[in-house]
């Protein structure tokens, strides 16, 4: 038992004081926020496809696709086989890209369970299409990221969910203790193609690239062996989709900045902080109308609400208000954690104790790396004790 105990690396409590991440600057007010952000940005280079096809950009794209791994698409090609395929077919593919005639294959529909027992539908492009999307995303992001709001944190280089939580905590400390929690219903499935392409065309003068992006949006979806056309939405699983989602929702950011709101957005999760419940209800009504009429998206009324920050979950955390404001782990996140640990430490599993501990450690390291940013050490200590008790029970039963 002693040697097995030495292998158990379940030290959660020491992470509870935070991760030493640099604090976010305090919100200076709406005028300062507006001053930092230009209303419009110049167009991108005319020969952008040539830049996308440059050797260094392609090398980085291939490296990132390899790192992300992922399942094969409808053609069955794995990421490991992509390099050999490109060595043989790249001249032909490059010619199609530069001519704007490249045609991506349909994405494969995959369903994965959501944490709240729902189903999330992903679209998995082929390995080749993921490589090309990654190359396009890298070229666009270095120009477009400068145009995004300071209040946007999702899928952006140098920004993280921890920074978004820290900014939310600052707003609550400043006295904005009501949250307008807006949930967009099936965001990735409802993006309007024409509206998105109109935004892209304002900045991208290269018609070849616009044609290829439109081809990716209209590539279709294969499910149960049948291909269906896609007239709206974008596949949640392609490297290009996160950047396109930020481009779509940048209009929402600009509207919230224009109205002088304090808000934090991470992808399609948006929290607006106000001083009273009355103000929150008014903001919810007005912003919901804007999202429906201007963005052609739908607000999920059953999940959107106006509530206190300590009763709302944002990116797995909640803001606790007492003698001092702290970052805490949301109850739902703790429930999911315990459910996962119970599954990994079930004594009926046909694995050895060493294998069980190895898989448990793999999960705990990732979980601790994210939720170790909380400021509630007692919660981490209790979880540490609870996990050790479960492992002792498994050992005794065996």
């Amino acid at each position: 038992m002693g040697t097995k105990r030495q292998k158990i690396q379940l030290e959660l409590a020491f992470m509870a004081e935070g991760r030493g991440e640099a604090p976010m600057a305090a919100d200076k007010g709406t005028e300062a926020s507006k001053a930092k952000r230009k209303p419009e940005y110049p167009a991108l280079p005319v020969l952008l496809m040539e830049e996308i096809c440059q050797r260094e950009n392609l090398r980085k794209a291939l490296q990132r696709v390899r790192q992300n791994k992922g399942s094969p698409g409808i053609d069955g090609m794995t990421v490991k086989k992509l390099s050999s395929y490109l060595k043989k077919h790249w001249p032909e593919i490059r010619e199609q890209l530069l001519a704007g005639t490249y045609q991506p294959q349909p994405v494969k529909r995959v369903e994965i369970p959501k944490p709240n027992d729902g189903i999330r539908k992903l679209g998995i492009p082929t390995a080749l299409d993921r490589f090309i999307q990654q190359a396009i995303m890298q070229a666009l992001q270095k120009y477009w990221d400068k145009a995004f709001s300071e209040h946007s944190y999702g899928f952006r280089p140098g920004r993280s969910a921890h920074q978004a939580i820290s900014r939310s905590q600052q707003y609550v400390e400043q006295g904005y203790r009501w949250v307008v929690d807006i949930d967009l219903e099936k965001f990735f499935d409802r993006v309007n193609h024409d509206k998105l392409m109109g935004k892209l065309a304002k900045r991208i003068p290269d018609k070849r690239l616009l044609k290829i992006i439109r081809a990716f949006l209209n590539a279709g979806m294969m499910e149960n062996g049948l291909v269906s056309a896609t007239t709206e939405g974008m596949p949640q699983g392609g490297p290009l989709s996160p950047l396109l989602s930020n481009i779509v929702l940048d209009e929402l950011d600009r509207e919230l900045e224009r109205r002088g709101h304090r808000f934090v957005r991470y992808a399609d999760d948006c929290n607006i902080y106000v001083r009273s419940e009355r103000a929150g209800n008014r903001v919810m009504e007005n912003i919901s109308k804007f999202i429906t009429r201007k963005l052609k998206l739908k607000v999920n009324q059953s999940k959107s609400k106006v509530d206190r920050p300590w009763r709302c979950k944002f990116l797995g955390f909640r803001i606790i208000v007492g003698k001092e404001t702290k970052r805490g782990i949301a109850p739902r996140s703790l429930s999911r954690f315990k459910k996962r640990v119970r599954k990994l430490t079930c004594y009926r599993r046909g694995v050895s104790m060493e294998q069980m501990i190895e898989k448990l450690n793999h999960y705990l390291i990732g979980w601790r790396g994210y939720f170790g940013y909380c400021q509630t050490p007692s919660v981490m200590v209790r979880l540490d004790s609870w996990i050790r008790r479960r492992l002792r029970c498994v050992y005794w039963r065996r």
Side-chain angles (χ1 to χ4, degrees):
M1 182 67 179
T3 57
K4 290 183 175 64
R5 182 175 296 179
Q6 291 175 359
K7 296 179 182 179
I8 305 172
Q9 303 172 358
L10 308 176
E11 304 298 334
L12 299 176
F14 79 95
M15 294 296 296
E17 292 298 329
R19 294 169 51 81
E21 196 162 343
M24 299 295 297
D27 189 29
K28 300 286 186 179
T30 309
E31 294 302 323
S33 172
K34 288 181 179 179
K36 291 179 182 177
R37 192 166 182 214
K38 299 177 184 178
E40 293 294 338
Y41 284 78
L44 277 66
V46 176
L47 300 179
L48 193 55
M49 280 308 306
E50 279 74 8
E51 185 174 330
I52 290 171
C53 293
Q54 285 180 359
R55 186 180 185 86
E56 182 62 20
N57 185 55
L58 296 173
R59 185 190 65 79
K60 291 180 180 178
L62 182 59
Q63 182 180 7
R64 178 53 63 91
V65 171
R66 284 173 176 169
Q67 290 174 350
N68 293 340
K69 298 180 181 179
S71 304
I74 63 171
D75 60 353
M77 183 194 299
T78 62
V79 173
K80 292 182 179 179
K81 297 179 181 179
L82 181 59
S83 296
S84 58
Y85 181 86
L86 289 173
K87 288 179 181 179
K88 184 177 181 180
H89 298 279
W90 175 245
E92 178 185 352
I93 297 171
R94 183 177 185 275
E95 184 178 346
Q96 293 175 3
L97 290 172
L98 294 178
T101 59
Y102 179 81
Q103 286 297 324
Q105 298 187 63
V107 300
K108 182 171 69 174
R109 173 75 80 182
V110 177
E111 294 184 351
I112 61 172
K114 283 185 177 181
N116 57 356
D117 299 328
I119 296 294
R120 176 178 284 113
K121 294 185 177 182
L122 299 182
I124 308 299
T126 63
L128 175 61
D129 287 341
R130 292 206 296 271
F131 164 68
I132 295 174
Q133 284 192 35
Q134 181 67 34
I136 294 173
M137 188 277 293
Q138 290 172 176
L140 290 180
Q141 190 172 56
K142 67 179 181 180
Y143 295 108
W144 218 296
D145 192 72
K146 303 172 184 178
F148 292 144
S149 169
E150 290 295 316
H151 303 275
S152 170
Y153 293 89
F155 310 124
R156 297 183 61 189
R159 288 174 168 259
S160 67
H162 288 169
Q163 292 176 336
I165 295 298
S166 179
R167 176 56 63 89
S168 299
Q169 184 180 3
Q170 290 173 10
Y171 288 146
V172 175
E173 288 175 344
Q174 293 168 10
Y176 297 88
R177 297 189 175 181
W178 285 90
V179 181
V180 182
D181 185 0
I182 297 178
D183 182 86
L184 299 179
E185 184 175 333
K186 297 181 180 179
F187 167 71
F188 282 91
D189 296 333
R190 295 181 182 274
V191 171
N192 185 287
H193 287 180
D194 293 334
K195 192 168 182 60
L196 172 58
M197 292 306 302
K199 288 179 178 293
L200 295 174
K202 289 180 180 179
R203 291 199 62 203
I204 300 177
D206 195 328
K207 304 300 182 183
R208 300 168 297 174
L209 178 56
L210 292 173
K211 188 176 179 180
I212 291 174
I213 294 177
R214 171 72 84 166
F216 275 115
L217 293 175
N218 297 336
M221 188 83 62
M222 176 176 282
E223 188 172 11
N224 298 325
L226 299 176
V227 177
S228 57
T230 50
T231 57
E232 65 176 1
M234 49 191 174
Q236 190 175 354
L240 190 57
S241 296
L243 176 63
L244 296 181
S245 69
N246 275 333
I247 292 174
V248 171
L249 294 174
D250 185 60
E251 189 173 349
L252 173 61
D253 296 340
R254 290 181 181 273
E255 180 65 17
L256 292 173
E257 288 180 348
R258 187 185 67 80
R259 299 187 184 196
H261 290 307
R262 283 141 178 92
F263 70 97
V264 178
R265 184 178 65 79
Y266 192 95
D268 57 336
D269 290 332
C270 184
N271 277 6
I272 306 169
Y273 295 84
V274 295
R275 292 188 181 272
S276 68
E277 184 178 10
R278 182 180 178 183
N281 290 327
R282 184 175 64 251
V283 170
M284 174 68 80
E285 181 181 358
N286 294 334
I287 296 302
S288 296
K289 290 180 180 178
F290 175 83
I291 291 173
T292 303
R293 296 173 182 175
K294 296 291 185 180
L295 302 185
K296 308 301 182 185
L297 298 171
K298 187 176 180 180
V299 176
N300 191 330
Q301 299 296 338
S302 62
K303 294 183 179 180
S304 301
K305 59 183 178 179
V306 178
D307 208 340
R308 295 291 195 174
W310 51 89
R311 292 198 292 260
C312 290
K313 178 179 73 73
F314 183 51
L315 303 178
F317 291 86
R318 61 174 179 154
I319 307 300
I320 303 171
V321 178
K323 292 183 180 179
E324 56 180 333
T325 305
K326 295 182 178 180
R327 299 181 296 270
I329 304 174
R332 191 181 301 175
S333 300
L334 291 174
S335 298
R336 288 202 298 264
F337 171 78
K338 289 188 173 183
K339 183 179 179 180
R340 178 64 173 165
V341 172
R342 287 190 185 100
K343 184 177 180 180
L344 291 172
T345 58
C346 178
Y347 74 93
R348 295 188 181 91
R349 296 185 67 205
V351 297
S352 66
M353 198 71 181
E354 289 79 6
Q355 290 174 322
M356 181 182 292
I357 291 171
E358 182 181 357
K359 291 186 177 181
L360 180 61
N361 278 331
H362 182 73
Y363 172 68
L364 291 176
I365 289 171
W367 191 90
R368 183 186 65 184
Y370 183 74
F371 286 102
Y373 192 58
C374 75
Q375 297 173 313
T376 52
S378 60
V379 174
M380 306 298 273
V381 172
R382 287 197 299 270
L383 289 176
D384 187 72
S385 300
W386 176 74
I387 295 172
R388 292 181 183 277
R389 285 198 302 272
R390 284 199 61 84
L391 287 173
R392 282 196 294 270
C393 289
V394 173
Y395 182 79
W396 290 336
R397 282 178 177 272
R398 292 187 175 186

